[in-house]
Amino acid sequence: MSGDHDTDQGTDHGADPSGGGQTLWHGRFEGGPAAELMAYTESLSFDRRLWRDDITGSRAHVRGLARAAIITDAERDQVLLALDVVEQEMETGLFVFLPADEDIHTAVERRVTELAGPAGAKLHTGRSRNDQSATDVRLWTKRELMVVARRVLDLQRVLLRRAEEHEGVYLPGYTHLQRAQPVLLAHHLLAHGWALGRGIDRILDALERIDVSPLGAGALAGSSLPLDVDGNAADLGFARRFENSLDAVGSRDHVAEALFVLTLIAVDLSRIGEEIVLWTTDEFGFAKLDDAYATGSSMLPQKKNPDIAELARGKAGRLIGNLAGFLATMKGLPLSYNRDYQEDKEPLFDTADQVRLALGAVTGMLATITFVPERMQAAADAETTAATDLAEWLVQRGMPFREAHAVVGALVREALQGERSLRSLVAEHASLGADAAELVAPGVSVRRRVTPGGAGPVPVADQFVRFRVELDRLAEALEAPGA
Ligand code: ARG
């Protein structure tokens, strides 16, 4: 590669073509901006999706200007009317963007000024795109996180329902992906349910810091005009206003935090995905995907592939990249606003979109998947998964655990040589015997997990009750005013 830029974007160096409108900052400059500058620095291509929030923010700002008597009520109404038109044009796709519309803020203000004339030209009074874009992103993030939180709750409800449908079904629990002890399928499904609930709590916690209005911080230092900063915050439904204007426009930790809580949900989904990939293999055979949630192969007619599960796993990598990348963008930035911060939007939008899509797909996949209890239970009934029960049986009869562990370990080693079953070896063992041998019988071991929070039917019955209470708590938190 020559390193030249005459590949596909054209070679039109120099001033912006005429008829493209003006930037918001043209007054200070002798000529127009270079085409390369506009192509490289524009954010309209991705921040146009903030249009709703930009209009919302502008409405609040212009009402605030009128409350502070910086503009007249008549001017306010003219601008509000123009904003209504812009909203309509955006909604219907009739809005015409111009080449000089660097970003959504420019486009909206430019159009308002075309529509409302001198009153429109007052819209940006006491405001900078720095506090404006920060406001838009906070409004957008608040709404989006709530959508994600509600979808997480939907997934938790599906996990609960599937757990309820399979009461009594058990499968091997794994450590190191080696069969360890049998656990109820309900216990396994609810394990993911509890983890996801913490994701909702993290969203709600992050929202406390996101729910702050930066409007009125101006470019960086506030204004000489008597802006109604608190009134604007209330008008926009923010919990409070910023405390420090430099911080308001010069920090993005709330974006990093939103990325983190979303990414952690994606990581949780990737772990579910990996299990579904395993469970739907012929080798495991623990589950069968519904046709609507599986894909086929273009070449291999017999294939039924778990693509949702795989992409839940794979896309998590990209979202981790979005988070890590944005942290790197923030690193070392001096106060206050830097154009670097424009880089907050693409990772945020992408991550939020992908988590939303993943939740929809994974929820559908789990709602329709067929579990295969016979396969699960056959795997869990492998004699060796009862080894710990045998050791604990000896402990209950006075043997120190370390000794019991060694006794059972030796029997397992012998059984694995393949000539005798563990059960018969146990039945004949001097310290164990026929009663202990019953522990190795199918379905016995899982019933012996009796401690609180454990994997057997007794604690899981209690866990069901607690999980339903937990879902009620989360549902209520998501309905709370301000949430
Ligand atoms: N598009 C910009 C952003 O997203 C708006 C702020 C531009 N401010 C500036 N002083 N150039 O951050």
Side-chain angles (χ1 to χ4, degrees), residues 56-281:
T56 302
S58 292
R59 284 182 175 135
H61 180 64
V62 83
R63 284 193 287 260
L65 292 175
R67 277 197 308 281
I70 299 166
I71 63 172
T72 66
D73 286 357
E75 288 169 329
R76 174 200 61 200
D77 293 342
Q78 276 177 275
V79 174
L80 288 175
L81 209 63
L83 284 166
D84 289 346
V85 174
V86 172
E87 183 177 43
Q88 274 228 323
E89 291 178 344
M90 291 280 184
E91 241 160 26
T92 53
L94 293 177
F95 189 96
V96 180
F97 290 98
L98 299 182
D101 291 342
E102 285 183 278
D103 51 29
I104 189 64
H105 325 297
T106 306
V108 170
E109 186 191 334
R110 190 256 311 149
R111 183 72 181 126
V112 165
T113 308
E114 283 168 13
L115 291 163
K122 295 189 174 186
L123 168 59
H124 210 52
T125 309
R127 188 176 71 168
S128 159
R129 281 182 297 165
N130 299 352
D131 57 344
Q132 185 180 0
S133 84
T135 302
D136 293 1
V137 170
R138 283 181 186 262
L139 288 171
W140 188 91
T141 308
K142 273 176 64 173
R143 195 175 53 243
E144 206 62 23
L145 286 183
M146 287 305 290
V147 171
V148 168
R150 293 199 178 92
R151 294 207 179 177
V152 173
L153 188 61
D154 290 342
L155 173 52
Q156 289 181 290
R157 287 184 172 131
V158 164
L159 288 166
L160 173 62
R161 177 168 64 72
R162 301 315 312 262
E164 287 166 344
E165 288 167 6
H166 293 83
E167 251 189 275
V169 173
Y170 58 93
L171 75 163
Y174 295 85
T175 60
H176 314 266
L177 203 52
Q178 305 284 327
R179 284 179 200 162
Q181 289 183 300
V183 300
L184 286 184
L185 176 58
H187 193 61
H188 190 112
L189 295 174
L190 292 185
H192 289 302
W194 289 104
L196 288 164
R198 293 194 292 278
I200 295 181
D201 278 329
R202 275 186 207 100
I203 285 178
L204 293 171
D205 188 61
L207 278 169
E208 302 239 328
R209 286 169 291 283
I210 293 165
D211 200 6
V212 177
S213 174
L215 192 58
L220 78 163
S223 177
S224 66
L225 300 166
L227 302 174
D228 182 7
V229 177
D230 284 303
N232 287 346
D235 189 341
L236 288 169
F238 282 113
R240 56 188 191 281
R241 67 156 165 88
F242 64 95
E243 297 288 346
N244 177 309
S245 62
L246 291 172
D247 183 40
V249 299
S251 61
R252 291 289 186 278
D253 50 279
H254 58 285
V255 174
E257 206 176 344
L259 283 171
F260 172 70
V261 299
L262 290 168
T263 302
L264 199 46
I265 290 168
V267 167
D268 284 339
L269 295 178
S270 79
R271 302 172 64 223
I272 294 175
E274 168 65 4
E275 287 182 347
I276 297 303
V277 170
L278 287 172
W279 287 11
T280 55
T281 56

Side-chain angles (χ1 to χ4, degrees), residues 43 47 103 105 129-130 133 252 337 339 341-342 345:
S43 56
D47 69 14
D103 51 29
H105 325 297
R129 281 182 297 165
N130 299 352
S133 84
R252 291 289 186 278
Y337 177 83
R339 191 64 178 265
Y341 282 146
Q342 182 170 289
K345 292 166 199 66

Side-chain angles (χ1 to χ4, degrees), residues 1 91 155 169 195 198 218 257 275 295 336 362 388 431 434 445:
M1 291 289 285
E91 241 160 26
L155 173 52
V169 173
R198 293 194 292 278
E257 206 176 344
E275 287 182 347
T295 56
S336 57
V362 169
T388 312
S431 312
S445 175

